[in-house]
């Protein structure tokens, strides 16, 4: 970790680093925990995947705007533990920006929030707290009047994701199409149903709102003692989107009875207690929802496993160029798992 030690010297952090080690299991960036001696805070260091996030400066400006806005809201509300409820990024000594470019890679550093944990599984209580937290997060951002960059253009645009799948199918660059034709057909059979949001958006019936866009369970910090959800992390993808993003992506991982890459699809189910608790918590705080948005929440629950299946399958057909994989069929296993989850939701959730 010599390289990482050199890198952190470029940031205006407090204390002396004593240890740096890998942290978490994100599929995109590389994350490290930096421990310091004595009373100084610990830090999270990340190498940003700039082949995916091409405009790092724009992305960090989004993140700066969002964290400052949330911090101001919490302060106005008289919240006591603000530093546990919103991330704080460390400026680069030379530029004052919240990232550092070493000539090859982009890095950023934030203060580690002590006494917190991330989890891969939730209980109904945690799910209710998460629902409230995401509803609040979106509510707090509703009046953020900054020019926000779409860090990945069309990130949750289902029509775009289907076009990308069709391009991969047409090109078949890794020669993998033969083994997945039936899956492509199953996806195509539901393409119209799943692009409802884009049609309603085009008709002016559905607004875009600032969303987190990656609310999977392991992207939130919980108080290690109470299990309360304190804040969402991984702010790379905060951008304008239909409101379904955060609700749907949480349930995709939170209400799924297995990991998102479970190979045994018979184990994959949709936990209705978690679904109900999360939805109740979300509706309590997301008071800004229109009637149509509220009515379409069951659609959102289906949309995200479907979209994720499309994205994993596209990457499989393209030869695993986007997501980190641990073995050759990993993206295919992930695709099947998402479709099994979708089938479980179809069985259990009424429209
Ligand atoms: C990626 O970075 P990470 O692992 O939290 C991805 C999400 C997917 C998720 C699937 C920028 O998130 O959109 O839902 O993997 N992020 C990006 O696990 O593509
Ligand atoms: Mg993550």
């Amino acid at each position: 970790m010599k390289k990482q030690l050199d890198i952190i010297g470029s940031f205006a952090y407090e204390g002396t680093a004593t240890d740096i080690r890998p942290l978490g299991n994100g599929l995109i960036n590389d994350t490290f925990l930096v421990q310091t001696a004595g009373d100084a805070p610990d830090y999270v260091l990340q190498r940003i995947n700039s082949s995916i996030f091409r405009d790092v400066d724009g992305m960090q400006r989004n993140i700066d705007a969002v964290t400052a806005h949330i911090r101001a809201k919490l302060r106005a509300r008289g919240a006591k533990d603000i530093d546990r409820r919103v991330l704080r990024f460390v400026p680069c000594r030379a530029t004052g920006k919240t990232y550092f470019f070493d000539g090859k890679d982009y890095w950023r550093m934030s203060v580690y929030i002590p006494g917190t944990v991330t989890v891969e599984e939730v209980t109904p209580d945690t799910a209710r707290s998460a629902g409230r937290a995401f509803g609040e997060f979106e509510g707090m951002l509703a009046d953020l009047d900054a020019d926000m960059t779409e860090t990945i253009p069309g990130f949750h645009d289902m029509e775009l994701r289907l076009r990308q799948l069709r391009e991969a199918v047409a090109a078949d660059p890794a020669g993998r199409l033969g083994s997945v034709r039936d899956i492509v057909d199953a996806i195509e059979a539901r393409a119209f149903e799943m692009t409802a949001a884009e049609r309603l958006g085009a008709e002016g019936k559905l607004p875009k709102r600032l969303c987190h866009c990656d609310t999977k369970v392991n992207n939130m910090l919980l108080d290690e003692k109470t299990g309360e959800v304190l804040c969402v992390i991984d702010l790379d993808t905060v951008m304008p989107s239909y409101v379904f993003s955060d609700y749907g992506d949480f349930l995709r991982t939170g209400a799924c009875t297995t990991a998102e890459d479970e190979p045994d699809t018979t184990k994959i189910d949709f936990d209705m207690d978690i679904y109900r608790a999360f939805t109740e918590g979300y509706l309590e705080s997301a008071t800004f929802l229109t009637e149509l948005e509220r009515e379409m929440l069951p659609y959102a629950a289906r949309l995200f496993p479907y979209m994720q299946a499309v994205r994993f399958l596209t990457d499989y057909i393209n030869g695993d160029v986007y997501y980190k994989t641990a073995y050759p069929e990993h993206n295919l296993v992930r695709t099947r798992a998402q479709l099994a989850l979708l089938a479980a939701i179809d069985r259990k959730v009424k429209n």
Side-chain angles (χ1 to χ4, degrees):
M1 298 281 156
K2 160 113 187 29
K3 161 112 188 145
Q4 284 78 357
L5 256 178
D6 287 347
I7 296 296
I8 60 176
S10 302
F11 287 96
Y13 76 102
E14 278 172 60
T16 314
T18 52
D19 186 40
I20 302 187
R21 65 171 96 120
L23 180 70
N25 49 8
L27 300 187
I28 306 292
N29 300 314
D30 295 324
T31 308
F32 306 90
L33 174 65
V34 180
Q35 285 181 308
T36 60
D39 288 341
D42 293 338
Y43 294 88
V44 176
L45 176 72
Q46 277 193 310
R47 180 171 50 201
I48 300 166
N49 185 330
S50 56
S51 63
I52 290 179
F53 296 105
R54 291 175 177 275
D55 176 10
V56 174
D57 191 77
M59 173 169 85
Q60 286 305 118
R61 271 188 281 117
N62 274 4
I63 293 178
D64 295 345
V66 166
T67 51
H69 192 77
I70 293 181
R71 192 169 284 276
K73 285 265 152 118
L74 291 170
R75 205 174 291 132
R77 225 189 244 182
K80 287 201 182 59
D81 43 1
I82 295 179
D83 279 327
R84 304 190 78 212
R85 293 185 184 272
V86 59
L87 296 178
R88 184 193 291 281
F89 288 84
V90 184
C92 169
R93 288 183 201 278
T95 62
K97 302 222 179 208
T98 53
Y99 65 89
F100 167 64
F101 180 57
D102 69 4
K104 181 169 167 278
D105 290 315
Y106 288 86
W107 301 82
R108 72 177 156 219
M109 201 173 171
S110 60
V111 179
Y112 177 81
I113 305 179
T116 58
V117 286
T118 57
V119 293
E120 299 293 335
E121 275 174 55
V122 293
T123 62
D125 277 350
T126 314
R128 182 169 287 107
S129 155
R132 273 193 214 112
F134 291 137
E136 252 179 63
F137 181 84
E138 291 169 349
M140 284 194 280
L141 295 183
D143 63 344
L144 171 54
D145 191 18
D147 193 14
M148 300 290 288
T149 306
E150 265 200 44
T151 50
I152 298 180
F155 188 52
H156 280 175
D157 181 329
M158 196 60 246
E159 286 174 349
L160 173 71
R161 294 302 183 183
L162 284 162
R163 278 201 299 281
Q164 290 171 336
L165 173 64
R166 288 166 192 153
E167 280 164 21
V169 165
D172 190 19
R176 285 174 160 178
L177 182 63
S179 60
V180 297
R181 274 230 166 74
D182 53 330
I183 308 184
V184 174
D185 292 346
I187 284 174
E188 286 292 354
R190 298 187 72 168
F192 183 79
E193 169 199 352
M194 294 296 177
T195 47
E198 282 72 25
R199 282 191 300 279
L200 289 164
E203 289 166 20
K205 293 181 181 152
L206 211 53
K208 288 218 174 162
R209 303 178 181 280
L210 260 190
C211 298
H212 179 279
C213 293
D214 191 13
T215 54
K216 60 181 188 182
V217 166
N218 62 15
N219 279 339
M220 52 188 204
L221 293 183
L222 278 58
D223 183 291
E224 73 183 353
K225 293 211 183 81
T226 64
E228 185 200 355
V229 175
L230 294 170
C231 66
V232 261
I233 55 175
D234 247 2
L235 302 174
D236 302 337
T237 53
V238 174
M239 66 179 105
S241 187
Y242 297 118
V243 81
F244 309 135
S245 290
D246 294 353
Y247 176 85
D249 218 19
F250 175 88
L251 287 172
R252 182 180 73 78
T253 49
C256 183
T257 52
T258 67
E260 69 177 1
D261 60 353
E262 171 59 51
D264 180 355
T265 52
T266 64
K267 291 188 183 149
I268 299 175
D269 204 354
F270 189 70
D271 185 321
M272 290 301 280
D273 292 334
I274 291 189
Y275 168 67
R276 284 188 205 103
F278 179 75
T279 304
E280 279 166 24
Y282 184 70
L283 289 175
E284 259 173 49
S285 58
T287 48
F288 52 83
L289 293 178
T290 64
E291 201 175 320
L292 179 62
E293 286 173 323
R294 216 172 307 128
E295 275 171 13
M296 287 181 75
L297 291 180
Y299 159 80
R302 290 181 173 80
L303 176 61
F304 278 81
Y306 178 82
M307 188 185 302
Q308 199 60 60
V310 170
R311 293 177 62 196
F312 283 145
L313 183 63
T314 303
D315 199 33
Y316 181 71
I317 296 173
N318 283 336
D320 310 324
V321 292
Y322 189 91
Y323 293 108
K324 290 181 193 167
T325 50
Y327 53 94
E329 305 291 287
H330 206 163
N331 273 318
L332 181 56
V333 166
R334 288 170 174 150
T335 305
R336 291 208 174 97
Q338 295 303 305
L339 292 175
L341 177 64
L342 177 60
I345 299 173
D346 283 336
R347 283 196 302 276
K348 292 184 151 175
V349 177
K350 286 195 284 301
N351 272 321

